[in-house]
Amino acid sequence: MNFWEGFADNIGKIRWADIGIAVLIIAFFALFNKVLVKYIFALLNRRFGASDKGELWKQVLERPFRSFFVLAGVYLGVKYLLPRSWELAIGLDPLFRSAVIALAGWALYILSAQSSVLLEGIGKKIRLDDSSMLIPFLSKVLRFVVIVLTIALIGSEWGFSINGLVAGMGLGSLAVALAAKDTLGNIFGGIVIILEKPFAKGDWILTPAAEGVVEDITFRSTKIRTFADALITVPNAALADQPITNWSRMGKRRVSFTLGVALDSDRARLAAAISRIERLLRDNEQIDPGTIHVKFTDFNESSLGIFIYYFTKSTVWAEYLSARQGINLALLQVLEEEGIKLAYPSHRVFLEGALADGGGEVSRAYRPYE
């Protein structure tokens, strides 16, 4: 007599009362699984303290828990109904354990999602911003590990050895590491960039390889949009070993230059112009008042040098240029009102004939643009 003939012969021996009890067991867990899950989470909230995080955990894990209670009801009902010999024949216990492992893997898969409570909590603790690529990377790695472990554990329930799988994965990982050394270097470089956060998406950076705005950060490369609107892809391994200047992280932006005025400028008017320029900078709301220097510092060959040093409050390129333009126009107005002329290249020419006749020097201005 084969298995199915024996099963058909003994199925008729099951009493209706046993069938009714088994159905009631299954129906109880199927109908009241939501209540049971709610009661369990209420106990956990009372034990560890109610919070919004507890509600989020409930929303994430509610479906796996409810499925577990339905599965437990079916298992208990069938176990009550069938004799021990039939349980062993159909592999009831391994089936139940496999289903529990699958549900546990499902719950861990949900928890390892990029937007899950677990990873969001990790991101907040290590203070990651929204542009960080670490959380998506962790999510992908954890989900892959969860899937592999779930399949391996289910296979071990049915007698499949996972030792060969582990050994094969080790040899395969070694071969992949040797064949993809540069790729792995870029991946580790990307991890370094994401953890140290020298820049983020949207930052204006300067490196020996490129200058521009960071458009995307992946685990292999970083894409930089230059100011000529070209897109440069820089491998992370090279970028992590280079000095990186992040202009977007400046708290303020510096302006430093020497303003050349005419050599024959009146001393009193020059002092008044310097005083007015400094007051102009201090009264401007776009200029940081912390560090402002306006000083007469240089005697040059064809000019007097006024050193001007200040910082704009905004580091945005367009706003910085606008503030600097406004200051430059105001400087011209001050110089005009004080009668101070800007310097231009000039030469003094001495004529021997004029000196011999008792004349003096002849000064001629040299304008290269005329």
Side-chain angles (χ1 to χ4, degrees), residues 299-326:
F299 287 97
N300 299 315
E301 183 180 352
S302 58
S303 66
L304 302 176
I306 302 175
F307 177 68
I308 299 176
Y309 187 94
Y310 63 92
F311 289 86
T312 62
K313 292 181 179 179
S314 176
T315 60
V316 179
W317 179 250
E319 296 176 0
Y320 159 78
L321 291 178
S322 178
R324 188 167 182 176
Q325 174 183 263

Side-chain angles (χ1 to χ4, degrees), residues 5 20 26 42 55 74 114 127 130 137-138 146 159 180 189 194 206 220 280 295 307 311 315 321 328 360 364 366:
E5 290 177 352
I26 296 172
E55 290 299 321
V74 173
Q114 180 178 338
R127 298 179 181 179
D130 294 335
F137 176 73
L138 282 177
V146 166
I194 289 170
L206 170 64
R220 197 196 70 82
L280 171 71
K295 305 296 180 183
F307 177 68
F311 289 86
T315 60
L321 291 178
N328 289 342
R364 294 183 180 179
Y366 169 68

Side-chain angles (χ1 to χ4, degrees), residues 215-229:
E215 194 166 277
D216 192 18
I217 306 171
T218 66
F219 279 91
R220 197 196 70 82
S221 62
T222 297
K223 293 180 174 60
I224 300 174
R225 180 73 64 177
T226 67
F227 296 113
D229 203 32

